[in-house]
Amino acid sequence: MTAPEPETRRAIRAATPAPAGPSSRAGRNLPVAIASGVTLGALAAGTLIIHPVAFVAVICLAMVVAVWEMRQALSEGGLFAPFAPVAIGAVSMIVAAYVRGAEALVFACALTLVATLVWRVADGMTGALRDVGAGALILLYPCLLAGFAAMMLAEPQGQWRIFVFIIVTVFSDIGGYAFGVLFGKHPMAPRLSPKKSWEGFAGSVFACAVVGAITIPLTLDGPWWQGALFGALVAPTATIGDLIESSLKRNLGIKDMSNIIPGHGGLMDRLDSLVLVVPLAWFALRLIAPH
């Protein structure tokens, strides 16, 4: 049986009723979303405590899932990225970044681009350029960006650097959500994310600055004001990351990247802010806490 066209699939999803359950003003099933968020946080914290390599394995697994989600999403727009070379390349890029640093990350990315081209062309030339472009997009976003997390982890106090990066970025979402629900009146980008407000953005900046001012002195021995400045820079970057994915999903006519995380949607719906913040965090934390 022939699979329905992307427009038909979007129409089917639009006509399918949302699952019942208690939801917040921001449209989430709050108890389920909190439980899922706590579980993901415990996984990240647990692997950081066990050993850096365990966290590298988590990054690799997350990127394989992200490649699958991005490939599924882009297929709604008629773009079919080759899965195998991109997924294998994503893992290779993360491992190379952890073991050998930035040059190895770029080299692994370049080799994966070539492998993706060869793999897709071997399957026929029709639509090959389009599909290779889709594969290149996935390699750059999120896989190349995630490589900065592996490089950060390999540095002195790498586990604390990752902890600071994650906790400050997560509080961008928490602060934005809380302030948006309580005070949100002025939409920030109604065509991309109708529930995102300027009041919520102010909450993101405030929460990130406070958490940065607390965590930087406690974990990396940096001054509080540098932590606050770091948080103030993280908040708009995280917001832009969220808006980028919202724009991508709106263009493709989908609500979530997948439904594998209850209360949240897809893994990329949780990683959208983190993957854009991580290069900033890698660079900023090197200035705050030099080797």
Side-chain angles (χ1 to χ4, degrees):
M1 181 176 179
T2 304
E5 293 299 316
E7 293 80 4
T8 305
R9 289 197 292 268
R10 288 195 286 269
I12 292 172
R13 278 197 300 271
T16 302
S23 61
S24 66
R25 283 178 56 188
R28 295 182 187 178
N29 186 323
L30 196 54
V32 173
I34 291 174
S36 299
V38 169
T39 301
L40 291 174
L43 174 63
T47 52
L48 274 176
I49 293 170
I50 292 171
H51 197 278
V53 173
F55 192 77
V56 171
V58 169
I59 299 175
C60 290
L61 177 60
M63 286 303 101
V64 172
V65 175
V67 169
W68 173 77
E69 287 188 340
M70 289 286 290
R71 184 180 185 275
Q72 293 295 109
L74 290 173
S75 69
E76 297 293 331
L79 305 171
F80 301 95
F83 175 75
V86 177
I88 294 171
V91 173
S92 301
M93 289 161 61
I94 300 302
V95 174
Y98 179 72
V99 174
R100 302 295 293 179
E103 291 184 358
L105 172 62
V106 173
F107 182 68
C109 182
L111 285 181
T112 304
L113 285 171
V114 174
T116 302
L117 173 64
V118 173
W119 182 287
R120 179 58 185 83
V121 169
D123 197 38
M125 291 300 297
T126 303
L129 182 60
R130 173 196 61 201
D131 295 343
V132 170
L137 171 62
I138 298 172
L139 280 175
L140 297 176
Y141 173 85
C143 302
L144 180 67
L145 297 178
F148 284 86
M151 290 194 297
M152 193 189 310
L153 186 63
E155 295 180 348
Q157 297 181 292
Q159 287 147 298
W160 283 120
R161 292 172 189 267
I162 291 290
F163 171 78
V164 170
F165 147 63
I166 291 178
I167 196 70
V168 174
T169 307
V170 166
F171 266 86
S172 173
D173 191 39
I174 293 174
Y177 175 79
F179 274 60
V181 168
L182 293 174
F183 310 113
K185 292 182 179 179
H186 301 89
M188 172 182 280
R191 296 185 61 182
L192 296 180
S193 185
K195 295 183 177 68
K196 195 173 294 296
S197 66
W198 285 107
E199 291 82 2
F201 175 69
S204 294
V205 175
F206 175 76
C208 288
V210 170
V211 174
I214 294 172
T215 56
I216 289 292
L218 291 177
T219 60
L220 298 175
D221 296 322
W224 70 268
W225 65 267
Q226 289 186 356
L229 179 59
F230 172 69
L233 292 174
V234 164
T237 307
T239 301
I240 292 171
D242 186 46
L243 290 174
I244 286 174
E245 182 158 327
S246 294
S247 175
L248 179 63
K249 290 188 292 188
R250 184 167 291 272
N251 183 265
L252 295 172
I254 59 177
K255 183 179 184 296
D256 295 314
M257 298 301 282
S258 75
N259 59 358
I260 64 173
I261 304 178
H264 291 275
L267 184 63
M268 277 301 299
D269 295 305
R270 295 297 89 210
L271 295 181
D272 52 2
S273 298
L274 289 164
V275 295
L276 201 67
V277 169
V278 64
L280 167 68
W282 172 77
F283 180 73
L285 293 179
R286 285 168 65 93
L287 295 179
I288 294 172
H291 297 170

